[in-house]
């Protein structure tokens, strides 16, 4: 066993039996939570470097760690994990799971290396240029009557 989820409102502890677990309402999930506000595939729990991490699987009602909504985060022993509105205290021993040294970063390394440094810093020039070309939702398109083509309109702030 790799740890437990202890229901905050009472109930039986949920054992964490594998290093990667899918949590959701579907019977095919590793941990099945039969609540209407839990998504079919709500989140994934996985052990990396001796610590549990949670990743929201684009659920409708989200995942929180210690009251803060997260997409992905390291879950330390004693943290409160909320899946939709169902809260669980996370119990495990990082040392027993192979942790050595200080805790790793809050976000798993595989995601950190999946993006360039510029993209992670929000400085990717291609993306910035694409955003500048697109008019915003609330921005009105301005137009003039085109004198060269009667009956046609010419847009002033359209990128084309």
């Amino acid at each position: 066993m790799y740890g437990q989820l202890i229901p905050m409102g009472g109930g039986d502890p949920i054992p964490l039996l594998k290093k990667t677990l899918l949590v959701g309402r579907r019977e095919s999930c590793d941990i099945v939570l039969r609540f209407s506000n839990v998504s079919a595939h709500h989140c994934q729990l996985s052990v990396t470097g001796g610590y549990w991490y949670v990743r929201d699987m684009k659920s409708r009602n989200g995942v929180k760690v210690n009251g803060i909504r997260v997409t992905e985060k390291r879950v330390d022993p004693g943290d409160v994990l909320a899946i939709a509105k169902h809260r669980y205290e996370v119990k495990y021993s990082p040392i027993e799971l192979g942790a050595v040294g200080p805790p790793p970063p809050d976000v798993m390394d595989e995601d950190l290396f999946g993006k360039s440094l510029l993209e992670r810093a929000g400085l990717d020039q291609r993306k910035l240029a694409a955003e500048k070309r697109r008019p915003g939702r609330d921005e009105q398109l301005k137009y003039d009557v085109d004198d060269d083509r009667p009956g046609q309109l010419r847009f002033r702030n359209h990128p084309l």
Side-chain angles (χ1 to χ4, degrees):
M1 188 165 74
Y2 297 96
Q4 294 181 326
L5 297 178
I6 311 295
M8 297 293 283
D12 295 331
I14 300 169
L16 304 174
L17 299 173
K18 299 188 319 188
K19 287 190 172 190
T20 300
L21 299 162
L22 183 60
V23 180
R25 199 176 63 242
R26 276 219 178 121
E27 293 297 322
S28 61
C29 292
D30 299 304
I31 297 175
V32 180
L33 300 176
R34 293 178 183 93
F35 302 107
S36 60
N37 61 349
V38 173
S39 297
H41 295 144
H42 201 94
C43 63
Q44 181 179 1
L45 294 169
S46 58
V47 174
T48 303
Y51 287 86
W52 279 100
Y53 286 83
V54 64
R55 180 184 313 214
D56 190 351
M57 305 294 284
K58 299 181 181 174
S59 64
R60 173 170 277 160
N61 291 312
V63 174
K64 291 182 180 179
V65 175
N66 298 325
I68 299 168
R69 190 165 181 158
V70 297
T71 349
E72 182 177 329
K73 184 170 181 352
R74 185 184 71 234
V75 184
D76 294 326
D79 281 352
V80 175
L81 174 65
I83 299 168
K85 299 224 181 226
H86 309 281
R87 298 171 0 141
Y88 303 90
E89 181 183 353
V90 181
K91 290 213 171 200
Y92 70 97
S93 169
I95 294 169
E96 288 178 16
L97 299 181
V100 179
D106 266 352
V107 179
M108 286 192 274
D109 290 340
E110 60 195 53
D111 285 348
L112 284 176
F113 296 117
K115 296 179 181 177
S116 72
L117 286 173
L118 289 174
E119 190 175 350
R120 282 189 281 159
L123 301 173
D124 189 344
Q125 294 300 317
R126 292 171 296 183
K127 287 188 178 184
L128 289 172
E131 289 296 318
K132 286 181 184 176
R133 285 193 304 268
R134 251 185 265 142
R137 267 187 206 172
D138 300 331
E139 185 180 331
Q140 281 188 322
L141 291 174
K142 307 224 185 302
Y143 59 88
D144 294 319
V145 175
D146 193 336
D147 295 331
D148 298 332
R149 297 180 293 164
Q152 298 292 315
L153 301 176
R154 180 178 55 223
F155 292 95
R156 281 189 261 158
N157 61 341
H158 195 273
L160 297 177

